[in-house]
DNA sequence: GTCTATAGAGTGATAGAC
DNA sequence: GTCTATCACTCTATAGAC
């Protein structure tokens, strides 16, 4: 019997719960027992919803994350009417998504830990899309392409580093300060090298 | 029979090999089979050298990393005769240590992945020592304490983020560019807010 | 004999797959 | 629930140095 009071029966509703387990324990640490405990489902139910097992659960989680970022972050950066608004929206959404530094980036975790190269392409495109979308917004707001590419790379890396340091020091404010600094730089220095 | 041609017999010489396995697979992914294969040693030998098993191996690896950084990075930052030279030395050593972005930071990995909170204090003090040492060097080279603290936090986080992004994009140059940018900023702007 | 380092069979527990 | 594989780990046996 699972410890949760009720089980989640819809596959879509299950994804965020599975995501949290993968985020906190990594792929190898996310055992079926933990995944079952978190969802309140037995192994049979999990395999009914995800016939390919843990691999499929993880793929679904990564796809869900990618969907969210495409919709809420990358697309506004690329195609929004106001690039500066898109950038401000990115900072706001990212701060909310990572709970101001209390939540870690699953894609960042998978970037660091080799899981038999299974999710390497998902990890690659997540970060490639993010940097390209931010670069596009920066170009549209007046940066030279080379500057925009460099800045985009630096901001995306800084966010990941902020999450690492916030978690390491158990101080979520580290992440928030990182966001604030870069938001101010991108806003106040639209065309000079920072 | 192990696949390696010869076994490593000294505990000290074993540490870097064990470290690489933990770095690439994480704590849970670093099975004794993998550790044995990498070292060319059987379980008996590993348990002879590390009676408490995987936990002790990992603790020894983290202690070895901490020793190296204390000696080669933190101490020159804190106590070196020239703080600017200490900072330049940090950038050079860090670039070499992480093989210009081809190697990942084990402490950063452990910061992101919850391993039953076993190594949380090691992770915490590694990053706390690093930021404090860098802050001290920045103060000694003319920054106000508040500026120095902020900058130190940002540079350490940026390095971690550079490693994450370099690994994610499979492009070590991302990490090198991160180092270069911050080295130039710390060198050319000794007392203004960056 | 003692000591140190080695390998590896064998332990129960738990993994993921079905 | 049941399966097999693998987990971390224990234990015995063995080797050579002294």
């Amino acid at each position: 019997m699972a410890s949760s009071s009720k089980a989640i029966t819809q596959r879509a509703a299950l994804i965020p719960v599975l995501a949290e387990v993968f985020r906190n324990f990594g792929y190898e640490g996310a055992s079926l027992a933990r995944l079952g405990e978190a969802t309140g489902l037995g192994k049979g139910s999990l395999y009914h919803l995800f016939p390919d097992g843990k691999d499929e659960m993880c793929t679904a989680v990564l796809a869900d994350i990618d969907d969210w970022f495409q919709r809420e972050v990358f697309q506004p950066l690329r195609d929004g009417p106001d690039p500066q608004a898109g950038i401000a929206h990115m900072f706001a959404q990212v701060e909310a998504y990572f709970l101001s530094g209390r939540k870690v980036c699953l894609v960042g975790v998978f970037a660091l830990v080799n899981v038999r190269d299974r999710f390497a392409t998902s990890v690659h495109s997540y970060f490639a899309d993010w940097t390209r979308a931010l670069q596009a917004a920066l170009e549209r707001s007046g940066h030279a392409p080379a500057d925009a590419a460099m800045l985009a790379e630096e901001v995306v890396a800084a966010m990941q580093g902020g999450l690492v340091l916030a978690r390491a020091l158990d101080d979520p404010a580290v992440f928030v300060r990182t966001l604030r600094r870069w938001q101010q730089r991108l806003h106040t220095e639209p065309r000079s090298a920072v």
Side-chain angles (χ1 to χ4, degrees), chain A:
Chain A
M1 187 194 304
S3 59
S4 299
S5 54
K6 57 179 176 179
I8 305 162
T9 51
Q10 309 276 357
R11 185 179 148 124
L14 223 57
I15 306 281
V17 182
L18 298 174
E20 205 201 322
V21 181
F22 284 115
R23 219 189 314 273
N24 289 333
F25 298 100
Y27 184 83
E28 314 246 17
S31 66
L32 284 185
R34 276 172 176 153
L35 293 164
E37 187 189 0
T39 56
L41 261 43
K43 285 181 280 188
S45 308
L46 287 175
Y47 269 87
H48 174 71
L49 293 163
F50 303 92
D52 279 348
K54 217 167 90 162
D55 200 299
E56 185 177 351
M57 296 180 213
C58 196
T59 301
V61 165
L62 287 174
D64 186 65
I65 292 173
D66 194 63
D67 281 351
W68 190 90
F69 273 85
Q70 293 287 349
R71 183 172 6 99
E72 303 292 338
V73 179
F74 305 162
Q75 193 274 337
L77 283 172
R78 279 191 299 254
D79 312 319
D82 177 4
Q84 286 283 347
I87 292 171
H89 188 249
M90 173 190 79
F91 281 111
Q93 290 290 73
V94 164
E95 180 171 343
Y97 182 85
F98 293 114
L99 300 176
S100 303
R102 277 175 289 273
K103 198 166 96 174
V104 121
C105 179
L106 176 60
V107 193
V109 172
F110 281 11
L112 290 182
V113 179
N114 186 346
V115 188
R116 308 204 310 264
D117 294 326
R118 250 188 299 196
F119 307 107
T121 57
S122 295
V123 169
H124 184 105
S125 37
Y126 172 85
F127 284 109
D129 287 352
W130 195 342
T131 54
R132 277 197 295 255
L134 181 53
Q135 177 185 352
L138 289 167
E139 288 187 30
R140 289 201 291 137
S141 61
H143 286 86
D147 277 358
M150 196 63 98
L151 262 178
E153 171 181 300
E154 180 156 29
V155 171
V156 172
M159 289 175 180
Q160 291 296 312
L163 288 173
V164 172
L165 199 55
R167 173 59 70 104
L169 299 177
D170 195 27
D171 179 11
V174 173
F175 177 63
V176 176
R177 285 196 290 270
T178 302
L179 294 182
R180 295 275 189 280
R181 281 189 297 257
W182 279 109
Q183 181 161 27
Q184 179 161 339
R185 282 179 200 139
L186 295 190
H187 185 258
T188 61
E189 311 182 33
R191 56 181 62 244
S192 72
V194 181

